[in-house]
Amino acid sequence: MQSESEASVRLRFAPSPTGYPHLGNIRTALFNWLFARRHGGKFILRIEDTDVARKVEGAVETILDSLRWLGLNWDEGPYFQSQRLSFYREIVHGLIEEGHAYLCYCSPERLETMRREQAKRKQPPKYDRRCRNLTQHERTQLGATGIAPVIRFKTPLEGETTFYDLIHGTVTFKHDTLDDFVLLKSDGYPTYHLANVVDDHSMTISHVLRADEWLSSTPRHVLLYQALNWQPPQFAHLPMILGPDRAKLSKRHGATTITEYQKQGYLPDAMINFLALLGWSLDDRTELLSREELIKHFSLKRVGKTAAIFNKDKLEWMNGVYLRKLSLGEFVQQAMPFLDRDLPGSVKRPLDSRYVSQILPLVQERAKTLAEVPQLTSFFFLDELQYDTGLLLSGKRDAQSAVNVMAIASQKLGEVTTWDATTLEGILRPLTIELNLATGEFFGLLRVAVTGRTAAPPLFQTMAVLGKEKCLKRLDMAMQSLSTHPN
């Protein structure tokens, strides 16, 4: 048995464009990439596009863009299986000649009837091998009918297949639990079982890291390697990803495509860190690891056998940590496309990057995703606010007294010549004593007046960024909104 640090390390990520990449796909890509980088090997990208009927338009481009966004650079490819059809057919015809495969003429209708009968008898659905031992005369007759056959592998009827998995250890499957699986479909396209074995061999793949769901297919692949007299790669089947309720990950758990996480404002490095911990760990306490640290420490010995649990709250927390690590320039650069996309249409474009650079330090500690930044900061960009008078009157103050307080504050602020956070605090904090108001009540009123909301960045810094003219205008508009309010 080879060790996981075999000298010539070559791994592949082989997605099918039958859908857009989701967390499970990308976690598989990441583990292959980390393993290759850890051992100085090659990471190969192969597109398994032989399922023509289920191919999704634009899926290939989305797969490539997702890998690029996450920085999972590949060394070779992308290779496309659809460009290698003649090669697969040549391999299959060799298997037929050597007695390892045969033509099957059973119609889809017959196969469906067979499965229904097996289900009634509570038997596992499995091809009954009707065409396995046809005579040459019978094959000739069936071929003359124009039926396009599939080609099936001739699985041994007795015995068992054993292989070693780098995560699960020694695994054995009895042959009587396997069927004669299809190698080549009637349209001439290979199945996954054939194409991935042929390509892994021709691309000299040393390690196959893939999802746990493929563990039960591995004996078929091992048998195929044996029939072709090829050395199989080393296998490692990665644990499933489940939701917090331990059910299969789905959209209700937040299992959207990886591009949705990009649109929601998650950082690539945060996603890499989070995905790496879905099934692997450095120890029982370390949660924040840079890309370089992940490469340095990644080992299949630390990959678990049990399912990993997806936790959206943890992802948000982790992304917030990575956002706070950004310099102001980096934060502005990352947030600007989200501001441009999501701020109200009334906000003038292009945005003033100098003004944005004054605003963003006030929310960098609070934002969990970049997509939250427009919501957290929108009041900075608006010319007019829509006031909820109930917020202005919180604390059970009446409208007239609230107007009086704001009028006094406005008059004091109108006299200010140096408009910065320190000066504003020096004027407004003593005013609470003059007005005989609790600090929270007075500052809460001013906060709603200048931002339109009760939760906002620190008041004096917010007012300093908004500027004198805008703050005084908003105080005046807040007072106007209360002027018609019944006491």
Side-chain angles (χ1 to χ4, degrees):
M1 184 188 70
Q2 296 169 302
S3 70
E4 71 168 55
S5 57
E6 180 70 19
S8 181
V9 170
R10 290 173 60 83
L11 292 97
R12 47 73 166 176
F13 175 52
S16 170
T18 53
Y20 298 114
H22 53 73
L23 283 179
N25 301 137
I26 296 300
R27 195 275 306 266
T28 296
L30 173 61
F31 280 25
N32 277 275
W33 184 85
L34 287 172
F35 191 96
R37 296 291 174 260
R38 171 71 179 84
H39 297 290
K42 300 294 185 183
F43 178 62
I44 295 140
L45 178 59
R46 186 173 77 218
I47 306 298
E48 300 196 336
D49 58 343
T50 59
D51 193 343
V52 180
R54 295 173 58 222
K55 185 177 179 180
V56 173
E57 190 68 31
V60 171
E61 292 76 14
T62 303
I63 291 166
L64 301 182
D65 289 344
S66 298
L67 294 175
R68 291 189 187 105
W69 174 62
L70 291 167
L72 299 180
N73 53 310
W74 54 92
D75 303 300
E76 296 178 20
Y79 299 113
F80 292 85
Q81 289 184 332
S82 59
Q83 298 172 0
R84 294 162 52 83
L85 298 182
S86 60
F87 186 45
Y88 305 127
R89 292 166 186 164
E90 180 183 337
I91 295 292
V92 165
H93 290 141
L95 287 169
I96 293 173
E97 289 175 5
E98 294 176 15
H100 295 298
Y102 61 93
L103 278 66
C104 173
Y105 297 90
C106 293
S107 67
E109 293 76 18
R110 181 191 176 268
L111 294 175
E112 181 58 34
T113 302
M114 178 195 74
R115 292 189 193 100
R116 283 200 302 266
E117 291 298 320
Q118 289 170 335
K120 285 181 185 177
R121 296 192 297 269
K122 298 184 178 180
Q123 296 174 333
K126 190 166 63 171
Y127 179 57
D128 60 7
R129 298 186 167 101
R130 178 177 179 176
C131 294
R132 180 170 172 137
N133 297 310
L134 294 175
T135 65
Q136 185 57 50
H137 176 68
E138 289 171 323
R139 289 195 185 95
T140 302
Q141 281 187 315
L142 287 167
T145 65
I147 297 173
V150 302
I151 298 175
R152 294 181 180 272
F153 183 75
K154 194 176 286 188
T155 300
L157 301 178
E158 298 177 343
E160 59 189 25
T161 289
T162 297
F163 59 92
Y164 186 82
D165 185 278
L166 292 169
I167 294 172
H168 295 273
T170 301
V171 181
T172 298
F173 283 83
K174 293 185 178 300
H175 291 159
D176 60 12
T177 65
L178 308 175
D179 63 354
D180 288 0
F181 54 95
V182 175
L183 297 171
L184 205 66
K185 293 176 280 189
S186 59
D187 60 4
Y189 278 80
T191 61
Y192 169 81
H193 301 303
L194 173 68
N196 98 89
V197 165
V198 171
D199 287 346
D200 285 346
H201 175 74
S202 65
M203 295 176 184
T204 61
I205 300 301
S206 63
H207 297 75
V208 170
L209 276 58
R210 58 189 178 192
D212 229 2
E213 64 190 87
W214 295 109
L215 183 65
S216 61
S217 294
T218 306
R220 296 182 175 90
H221 303 162
V222 171
L223 286 168
L224 195 45
Y225 277 107
Q226 292 171 352
L228 292 164
N229 200 28
W230 294 342
Q231 178 68 31
Q234 296 187 74
F235 296 102
H237 289 86
L238 309 174
M240 290 180 64
I241 304 174
L242 302 179
D245 56 359
R246 304 197 70 82
K248 186 177 179 181
L249 200 60
S250 64
K251 287 185 179 181
R252 65 190 174 90
H253 298 116
T256 52
T257 61
I258 203 71
T259 52
E260 281 301 308
Y261 289 99
Q262 183 180 3
K263 291 175 184 176
Q264 290 169 17
Y266 290 91
L267 295 176
D269 284 343
M271 289 299 304
I272 291 290
N273 191 161
F274 177 75
L275 288 170
L277 298 180
L278 288 178
W280 175 88
S281 64
L282 175 61
D283 49 43
D284 58 2
R285 61 186 182 280
T286 307
E287 293 193 302
L288 298 173
L289 292 137
S290 68
R291 200 175 293 246
E292 293 74 23
E293 288 171 323
L294 288 170
I295 292 171
K296 178 181 177 181
H297 295 293
F298 187 79
S299 169
L300 294 178
K301 294 175 183 176
R302 298 291 301 173
V303 175
K305 296 179 184 179
T306 56
I309 304 299
F310 171 78
N311 185 331
K312 184 76 175 291
D313 292 338
K314 182 175 180 179
L315 173 58
E316 288 186 353
W317 164 79
M318 189 173 285
N319 199 65
V321 171
Y322 275 84
L323 285 175
R324 292 189 287 276
K325 286 182 178 181
L326 297 176
S327 68
L328 176 58
E330 291 169 333
F331 189 43
V332 171
Q333 182 182 23
Q334 295 275 9
M336 195 68 92
F338 291 85
L339 290 166
D340 190 57
R341 182 189 75 184
D342 294 336
L343 283 174
S346 60
V347 175
K348 184 180 177 182
R349 267 76 164 185
L351 302 173
D352 184 339
S353 60
R354 289 174 298 177
Y355 184 49
V356 172
S357 296
Q358 292 178 287
I359 295 167
L360 292 197
L362 304 182
V363 299
Q364 190 169 3
E365 288 293 316
R366 293 180 57 198
K368 295 189 185 77
T369 68
L370 291 166
E372 289 182 352
V373 173
Q375 189 276 328
L376 291 171
T377 62
S378 61
F379 65 87
F380 281 103
F381 299 93
L382 297 171
D383 289 329
E384 295 186 4
L385 302 180
Q386 299 297 319
Y387 290 102
D388 179 345
T389 54
L391 296 181
L392 288 166
L393 298 177
S394 62
K396 299 183 180 177
R397 65 176 75 93
D398 61 82
Q400 190 55 55
S401 65
V403 169
N404 293 341
V405 167
M406 285 189 286
I408 294 169
S410 182
Q411 185 266 321
K412 290 279 188 182
L413 291 170
E415 299 169 0
V416 174
T417 55
T418 303
W419 192 269
D420 59 36
T422 303
T423 303
L424 294 173
E425 184 172 10
I427 291 170
L428 295 173
R429 197 169 288 281
L431 194 55
T432 60
I433 299 172
E434 291 181 37
L435 296 172
N436 195 30
L437 291 173
T439 302
E441 181 184 357
F442 180 42
F443 291 170
L445 175 60
L446 293 181
R447 180 176 288 105
V448 175
V450 298
T451 70
R453 53 182 77 174
T454 56
L459 177 63
F460 308 120
Q461 289 93 325
T462 295
M463 293 177 68
V465 171
L466 283 168
K468 181 176 181 177
E469 181 182 349
K470 190 169 282 188
C471 286
L472 293 178
K473 180 182 177 182
R474 289 184 177 184
L475 281 167
D476 185 57
M477 292 173 65
M479 287 186 281
Q480 289 181 38
S481 73
L482 289 179
S483 62
T484 57
H485 192 278
N487 286 318

